[in-house]
Amino acid sequence: MRKLRTQRAIAVLASVLLVGGVAACGNSDTGGGGSKDDGKITMGFSQVGAESGWRTANTTSIKESAAAAGIDLKFDDAQQKQENQIKAIRNYIQQKVDVIAFSPVVESGWDTVLKEAKDAGIPVILTDRSVDSADKSLYKTFLGSDFVKEGRLAGEWLVEQKKGATGPVNIVELQGNTGAAPANDRKKGFGEAIAANPNLKIIASQPGDFTRAGGKQVMEQFLKANPKIDVLFAHNDDMGLGALEAITAAGKVPGKDITIITVDAVKDGMQALADGKFNFIAECSPLLGPQLMDLAKKVHAGEEVPARIETEETTFTQEQAKEALPNRKY
Ligand code: GYE
């Protein structure tokens, strides 16, 4: 084990010496987390991808906040692949960044690479999505939403709307990418809430990968296979927006023939809600950048930070969307 670690240390040192000039990262620190010549904190960030309006707003927030906080940001887009995120994190470890932050595309399978970061003395901050690692010492904090709550709020709204229903209410569900925390948790919260009324039944549930194309394609299949669909619960706005096309093409009126509930509340989703095509949105804020940069500074300074920091969120009806839309920033 020790031999292995020594070999790795030599390999890391050699690659740092080799790429040092090219990468111009200005590292002169002794050991992970040390300070730089210019005094700037370097953050290595691995983003899920660019799959949705939410993600685009999140990326903008992170880049702008890093610049405003004077943090040197190294940014990598993993294109929705866990292997790319692991590769990016390993690169950041090699480069001896001060802090690593990432939004894990799926919940499982992070222990090994997180342990490598820990062994290198580089603190890790989870942002947006969490991991299911049992060892909580592998990361400093998790900043993000309560996805179970978002699903529950969506479900509770539906229970209230359908409280007078005397027959079955058929629900179809568009899930986020398989294994992602927001997909698992929104499904859970929604399912628990609608259990309050046995008339509410999920008759089909499939991943649409959080994308418009995925939402459209899966909704087309749902519509073909199920003559009576009363409600669509989409785990994000983008899938709901994609589904709108499939619903209209099938000759149905979205927001009327089919009640549509989504999560996120990005501008396009809010517009659909204000236009009466969606019926309800549980908000999920992508503006995590400022808090993330604050946390990075604290963690770098060795300060204690809370293990969990929850984003504040609300919900929107059609009327509320009309009011909120003019001031919506993303
Ligand atoms: O809801 C979805 C995005 O992880 C909260 O990922 C995020 C989710 C968001 O693709 O639009």
Side-chain angles (χ1 to χ4, degrees):
M1 184 62 197
R2 178 170 303 160
K3 196 170 164 209
L4 256 181
R5 212 176 273 165
T6 313
Q7 278 171 352
R8 203 179 61 217
I10 292 169
V12 168
L13 186 66
S15 61
V16 165
L17 287 175
L18 265 174
V19 299
V22 184
C25 53
N27 276 356
S28 68
D29 51 354
T30 48
S35 58
K36 306 282 158 11
D37 286 338
D38 59 5
K40 268 193 164 187
I41 295 173
T42 302
M43 173 189 283
F45 187 90
S46 168
Q47 181 60 291
V48 169
E51 75 282 5
S52 64
W54 190 100
R55 190 65 54 197
T56 311
N58 181 244
T59 293
T60 306
S61 171
I62 285 158
K63 288 185 174 168
E64 286 179 359
S65 311
I71 288 180
D72 182 8
L73 181 71
K74 294 173 187 296
F75 184 92
D76 185 80
D77 176 338
Q79 305 189 340
Q80 303 236 59
K81 292 206 177 78
Q82 181 173 34
E83 69 209 64
N84 290 345
Q85 289 202 293
I86 292 175
K87 221 181 278 167
I89 294 169
R90 290 202 165 122
N91 277 337
Y92 295 144
I93 295 172
Q94 284 218 338
Q95 292 170 32
K96 293 190 163 203
V97 299
D98 296 304
V99 180
I100 291 171
F102 78 115
S103 173
V105 61
V106 291
E107 285 188 280
S108 303
W110 299 101
D111 288 20
T112 306
V113 73
L114 287 177
K115 186 136 195 327
E116 287 167 21
K118 190 180 173 188
D119 288 347
I122 303 177
V124 172
I125 300 175
L126 302 178
T127 168
D128 159 34
R129 300 181 181 183
S130 191
V131 299
D132 64 4
S133 303
D135 181 358
K136 305 292 176 213
S137 78
L138 293 177
Y139 55 92
K140 294 286 178 198
T141 180
F142 164 42
L143 164 69
S145 309
D146 180 343
F147 301 131
V148 178
K149 185 170 157 196
E150 292 165 355
R152 195 169 55 235
L153 291 170
E156 283 171 358
W157 179 83
L158 187 64
V159 168
E160 178 58 27
Q161 294 301 303
K162 301 287 179 189
K163 63 178 179 220
T166 46
V169 175
N170 290 347
I171 306 167
V172 295
E173 180 179 35
L174 285 167
Q175 301 169 29
N177 63 285
T178 305
N184 295 339
D185 294 354
R186 287 170 186 166
K187 180 165 190 33
K188 180 170 186 274
F190 184 79
E192 283 171 3
I194 62 164
N197 180 348
N199 278 325
L200 304 184
K201 283 214 175 67
I202 299 180
I203 57 163
S205 181
Q206 292 286 327
D209 294 340
F210 284 128
T211 65
R212 287 192 194 203
K216 181 177 177 215
Q217 200 198 326
V218 178
M219 191 68 201
E220 280 166 0
Q221 293 166 17
F222 284 164
L223 286 158
K224 260 187 219 146
N226 305 282
K228 181 179 177 289
I229 296 175
D230 303 303
V231 179
L232 163 64
F233 173 46
H235 289 185
N236 79 342
D237 287 337
D238 281 81
M239 290 191 292
L241 291 163
L244 287 182
E245 294 179 44
I247 293 169
T248 314
K252 298 195 191 274
V253 183
K256 298 220 158 52
D257 296 336
I258 299 181
T259 300
I260 302 179
I261 307 169
T262 65
V263 186
D264 276 357
V266 295
K267 244 191 189 144
D268 289 352
M270 291 287 273
Q271 187 65 59
L273 185 59
D275 292 346
K277 294 175 182 161
F278 285 0
N279 301 77
F280 189 72
I281 305 182
E283 186 187 39
C284 178
S285 174
L287 306 181
L288 304 177
Q291 276 173 295
L292 174 60
M293 300 310 148
D294 275 0
L295 283 169
K297 285 182 180 174
K298 287 191 177 142
V299 157
H300 181 61
E303 284 176 39
E304 282 295 314
V305 293
R308 171 80 171 101
I309 299 165
E310 222 176 90
T311 323
E312 274 184 35
E313 298 164 335
T314 183
T315 58
F316 295 97
T317 60
Q318 292 174 337
E319 283 314 308
Q320 290 165 333
K322 278 181 208 155
E323 267 171 47
L325 203 49
N327 302 316
R328 205 76 187 152
K329 292 203 178 56
Y330 54 92

